[in-house]
Amino acid sequence: MGTVFEKHPSENECRELWNRYDTPLHIRKHCMAVARVAYAIAAELNRNGFELDLELIMAAGLTHDLVRLTDRHDLEGARIMNELGYTQEAEIIRVHMMYSAFSPIRFINETDLVCLGDRCVIEHEYVGVEKRYQYIIDKAISHGHPEAAAKVGQLKQDVIRLVDEIESVTGKTMEEITKDIVIE
């Protein structure tokens, strides 16, 4: 018997949530890019023997920054999704900002992929790990936290490890996996 997945909000239901919580257009586009990047990677992994829940990945990606303009948007977004009964999405949203324990490829999960998607996208464009982490470092420095650069650099190494493992398993680069993703 295969894996049994829970019900997840559809893309249209996620769009309705964006409307309900007044998610700005630029954040909606970012969420769409993260969701599509994570989904593309997961679909490629599934073609290579994995059993990842693509609907969960899409829904969590689409809603991970649902209330991005609020303080602790990770916790507030998780609370909202929990109240709506979307507990798996809520858990991914709750950890997405500080997630740093990326699994080895043999244990890769939906949280890893949504968080990886978020670590490869700036605004609504796939840019890869190097450029995204440089953006994070620059942002931390500009906000008066130059000490964060070393910590962010350490975290980047784990993401690079995961990307290398994904590329090894799939036989494709991240750029090949994500090449058809366009968010307008």
Side-chain angles (χ1 to χ4, degrees), residues 20-70:
R20 184 184 315 167
Y21 291 96
D22 297 319
T23 307
L25 180 59
H26 73 284
I27 295 173
R28 294 175 190 212
K29 288 181 176 184
H30 169 74
C31 289
M32 181 63 73
V34 167
R36 289 192 178 160
V37 166
Y39 185 97
I41 298 166
E44 193 61 42
L45 287 168
N46 282 357
R47 283 190 279 280
N48 285 275
F50 290 78
E51 292 185 8
L52 295 156
D53 186 340
L54 298 177
E55 290 180 9
L56 170 58
I57 289 167
M58 181 60 74
L62 289 172
T63 57
H64 81 280
D65 280 347
L66 179 66
V67 289
R68 175 65 198 256
L69 299 181
T70 63

Side-chain angles (χ1 to χ4, degrees), residues 83-148:
E83 286 180 1
L84 295 171
Y86 299 119
T87 58
Q88 290 178 301
E89 288 82 359
E91 183 55 23
I92 293 170
I93 292 165
R94 185 183 68 74
V95 301
H96 85 274
M97 285 182 56
M98 303 306 218
Y99 194 73
S100 61
F102 288 91
S103 303
I105 191 71
R106 68 185 178 280
F107 299 120
I108 197 165
N109 60 56
E110 293 81 3
T111 303
D112 291 318
L113 290 167
V114 173
C115 293
L116 176 60
D118 202 25
R119 304 308 187 277
C120 294
V121 169
I122 296 176
E123 298 299 333
H124 62 278
E125 180 182 355
Y126 172 83
V127 296
V129 174
E130 292 293 337
K131 191 171 183 179
R132 173 66 165 135
Y133 272 83
Q134 190 58 55
Y135 173 83
I136 293 169
I137 290 168
D138 293 346
K139 191 173 181 180
I141 291 169
S142 74
H143 285 93
H145 301 289
E147 72 286 354

